[in-house]
Amino acid sequence: MTTLDDQRIAALLQSAPVPEPRVDVGRAIRDGRRRRQRRRVGGIAAVTALAGIGVVGAVQLGGAAGRPAPPTPALATSPAGTVSTAPGPPVTCEASWLPQPVDGPVAVANSVDPTGRYIVGDVGTGQEDGRVVLWTNGRAGLLPASARHAAAVNAGGDVVGTNGDGTGWVYRDGRLRFLATPPGYDAVIVHAVNGRGDIAGTATGAGDSHHAVLWSADRPQEYRLVGQPGSAATGITEDGTVVGAMGQLPYRWTPQGSGAALAVPDGYPRASVDSAHGEWAIGMVPGAQQGGAVQMLPVRWNLTTGAVSVLPFPGATGIASNGDLLVGDGAPLVVAPDGTSRRLPGRPEVRATEAGTYTANGISDDGLTVVGAVYENEVYRPLVWRCRR
Amino acid sequence: MDAEREFVEYVSARLPSLHRTAFLMCGDAHLADDVVQQTITALYVNWRRVSRADNVDAYVHRMLVHKLVDEKRLSWAKVRLLGAMPEPERSPVTPHDGLAERDSLLAALAHLPRGQRTVLVLRFLCDLSLADTAAAMGCSEGNVKSQTARALVAVRQVLDITETSGRNPR
């Protein structure tokens, strides 16, 4: 073989006509998240089996940093009536199906507004036809087909999300509008919206450049950059406090825009923030190395006191503004700030019993509405848990 | 989340080249889409580990090859389950007058066994070393060498034939 041959073949391969890719990055992230959840769940189930214990009941918080991830209690399969195991008013929860406006084997509720009235999710076949669903008081409506992958909904029913191509959008009063991508960046990732219509996300560009951005739901073509280049926003509270990162540091910005780092738990190299509600934020720290993978451990910050703690759970999916923590993987569990916990019940007709059958993705501000999905027979169905004190 | 942003950036930047790689390896647009979609999903699942290890490209190439093999195996199994004969090989594009050289290359690739096709794409399009190609394919360097040699013979034949027919009006 001659060098000329090599170069020529390489050049031909580079220039050979190839059809347009039809690949969806957003879907990869969504599918990947589910798979990651299932995988983590599998690991936890194994730990439980090895330990030979079926923990049921209260899981105490606090003093947890040293001993990550004890086994999660086994899934409750009773149709209704899971009860708080601690003294205090009992909480009764019931799981019910959310109606699907279109058929599709992948139908999942992803987020709920602070009041529990609005729920958003995705329905699709797993192909390139996923639609965003907005359930209002349990009634399903479809968003326009050009909105994909809803991230959040606020108490006014405004829905925000990011399409697979990195375009942000907001759906308000029946109208879909796209968010400005700040000049110098090619994509955005939209994470959260509060009751005032402040939308938080991150603009990304070439060479790893990124910047936290705020938009307003009523003027989506305007934007405000938050902090310095290198910032990222992942959440926003009702009062306009933004949480995210600055470089490797977990970070928060006041509604006026002044920023400060959040504490990193002792003994950990860094931490990231996922979301915030009320005075609480949750995120992750890298834990122990396990077979080549790093196990991420959930952490919680109190934004008022600045205190941070590593949580003794496999993961934290959401936080309510009253401090109720949603552990969504495996056997969905809600943990109150005082450490008492309640498991969420299953549906009687669901036969699958393995951990991971139920996924919980979002929690309302009073901790009483939780949304998620059931995975059974290779089909996801959307589900809501409604609880009463 | 920082990791997610990095993932989106990496994948967005590399998508065209990933898809080209997959398409040239398998010659089927739908299969290439599926395989790339599966690969980036798996990449997302393992992103923290893979991105930290600083070998993202190697991981992606290995995933592409494995997913392609999986897909082929699955479609073969389906045919067998139905009790029908395996589908005949896709009939290669026949080179004809005026066909551009690069189209001939596609035709030549279509003739090649999968292993030869894969080494050609990994070594010449992705510019992988012998060792990296062997790692991606899960075989020995000797195997890569011999497959490359055979693939080159086949490709050179096709290209030379095209050039000859181009130079000699009939």
Side-chain angles (χ1 to χ4, degrees):
Chain A
M1 116 178 63
T2 67
T3 313
L4 187 64
D5 266 328
D6 293 5
Q7 284 172 353
R8 188 164 134 223
I9 290 169
L12 287 172
L13 287 170
Q14 285 295 352
S15 62
V18 161
E20 278 290 294
R22 299 173 61 84
V23 174
D24 185 335
V25 179
R27 179 155 73 88
I29 291 178
R30 197 158 288 284
D31 292 350
R33 271 190 202 138
R34 285 198 193 101
R35 204 179 296 170
R36 212 190 255 168
Q37 286 178 345
R38 265 180 278 154
R39 192 175 63 174
R40 248 188 279 156
V41 161
I44 295 151
V47 170
T48 312
L50 276 176
I53 46 170
V55 182
V56 176
V59 179
Q60 286 296 326
L61 280 183
R67 249 330 310 138
T72 314
L75 180 71
T77 45
S78 63
T82 287
V83 170
S84 168
T85 48
V91 178
T92 316
C93 300
E94 197 168 357
S96 44
W97 299 113
L98 286 163
Q100 283 181 233
V102 288
D103 282 338
V106 179
V108 176
N110 290 318
S111 186
V112 59
D113 85 289
T115 68
R117 182 170 178 226
Y118 296 104
I119 298 169
V120 286
D122 293 316
V123 179
T125 65
Q127 301 302 314
E128 298 305 309
D129 58 355
R131 295 290 297 268
V132 173
V133 186
L134 173 63
W135 287 276
T136 306
N137 293 323
R139 296 221 353 230
L142 278 178
L143 264 59
S146 45
R148 307 281 312 279
H149 310 305
V153 58
N154 69 7
D158 302 335
V159 187
V160 296
T162 316
N163 288 351
D165 63 357
T167 308
W169 52 262
V170 55
Y171 178 79
R172 167 175 257 197
D173 299 331
R175 187 168 165 216
L176 180 72
R177 298 167 77 186
F178 292 96
L179 302 177
T181 298
Y185 296 93
D186 5 278
V188 300
I189 304 176
V190 179
H191 288 287
V193 58
N194 68 11
R196 304 193 305 206
D198 303 327
I199 301 167
T202 304
T204 65
D208 200 32
S209 63
H210 52 99
H211 209 137
V213 191
L214 283 178
W215 297 267
S216 170
D218 53 8
R219 290 185 304 279
Q221 279 305 309
E222 295 171 19
Y223 63 90
R224 196 176 99 211
L225 295 172
V226 179
Q228 302 298 310
S231 60
T234 51
I236 187 165
T237 66
E238 293 299 313
D239 76 0
T241 298
V242 175
V243 295
M246 183 68 214
Q248 292 268 36
L249 288 175
Y251 228 74
R252 65 178 291 186
W253 288 268
T254 65
Q256 292 72 39
S258 67
L262 288 166
V264 175
D266 283 345
Y268 293 91
R270 60 182 181 279
S272 62
V273 190
D274 288 342
S275 62
H277 288 281
E279 60 175 4
W280 303 97
I282 52 169
M284 289 186 287
V285 290
Q289 202 68 35
Q290 280 190 342
V294 172
Q295 191 190 9
M296 300 303 287
L297 304 173
V299 294
R300 180 176 59 189
W301 287 268
N302 182 308
L303 296 173
T304 306
T305 66
V308 60
S309 53
V310 180
L311 305 171
F313 303 106
T317 312
I319 183 96
S321 69
N322 71 355
D324 279 0
L325 180 83
L326 178 61
V327 179
D329 292 352
L333 183 74
V334 176
V335 186
D338 66 2
T340 60
S341 67
R342 60 176 195 272
R343 283 180 290 132
L344 296 171
R347 287 284 312 172
E349 67 271 37
V350 173
R351 299 296 170 141
T353 53
E354 64 265 30
T357 301
Y358 293 85
T359 318
N361 297 321
I363 186 166
S364 64
D365 261 1
D366 58 8
L368 295 179
T369 303
V370 174
V371 301
V374 170
Y375 179 69
E376 187 183 38
N377 301 327
E378 303 187 344
V379 167
Y380 286 91
R381 293 180 64 187
L383 194 70
V384 57
W385 286 272
R386 296 207 184 267
C387 307
R388 289 184 306 277
R389 287 190 203 278
Chain B
M1 234 192 311
D2 261 10
E4 191 163 301
R5 178 179 47 71
E6 287 169 16
F7 169 82
V8 170
E9 278 173 15
Y10 173 85
V11 169
S12 309
R14 301 305 303 273
L15 207 52
S17 121
L18 280 179
H19 185 261
R20 169 171 294 271
T21 303
F23 176 76
L24 291 176
M25 278 181 185
C26 70
D28 178 325
H30 293 294
L31 184 55
D33 286 336
D34 282 354
V35 162
V36 172
Q37 185 77 43
Q38 288 178 36
T39 297
I40 65 172
T41 304
L43 181 63
Y44 178 81
V45 172
N46 297 298
W47 178 250
R48 284 204 174 81
R49 176 168 57 82
V50 176
S51 59
R52 207 177 355 256
D54 201 16
N55 59 355
V56 183
D57 287 343
Y59 176 88
V60 164
H61 289 136
R62 203 165 57 237
M63 287 301 301
L64 272 184
V65 173
H66 288 180
K67 297 284 181 201
L68 270 174
V69 171
D70 282 354
E71 286 290 328
K72 295 278 186 193
R73 199 182 288 142
L74 283 177
S75 57
W76 175 260
K78 272 181 215 151
V79 170
R80 293 288 293 274
L81 277 175
L82 292 171
M85 293 294 289
E87 280 174 36
E89 237 174 61
R90 176 195 316 279
S91 59
V93 181
T94 320
H96 55 79
D97 285 348
L99 194 70
E101 204 177 40
R102 56 190 194 182
D103 292 323
S104 311
L105 184 75
L106 286 185
L109 284 176
H111 279 295
L112 295 180
R114 192 178 62 239
Q116 293 183 25
R117 218 179 150 128
T118 307
V119 288
L120 213 59
V121 172
L122 288 179
R123 295 212 55 201
F124 293 93
L125 179 68
C126 304
D127 206 17
L128 295 196
S129 67
L130 261 184
D132 289 347
T133 307
M137 295 179 66
C139 65
S140 71
E141 290 187 28
N143 194 324
V144 172
K145 263 191 216 168
S146 63
Q147 302 240 47
T148 310
R150 268 178 273 150
L152 282 175
V153 169
V155 167
R156 220 178 280 126
Q157 271 176 359
V158 172
L159 295 183
D160 286 343
I161 288 165
T162 310
E163 278 179 5
T164 310
S165 67
R167 275 197 299 269
N168 302 332
R170 286 177 302 173

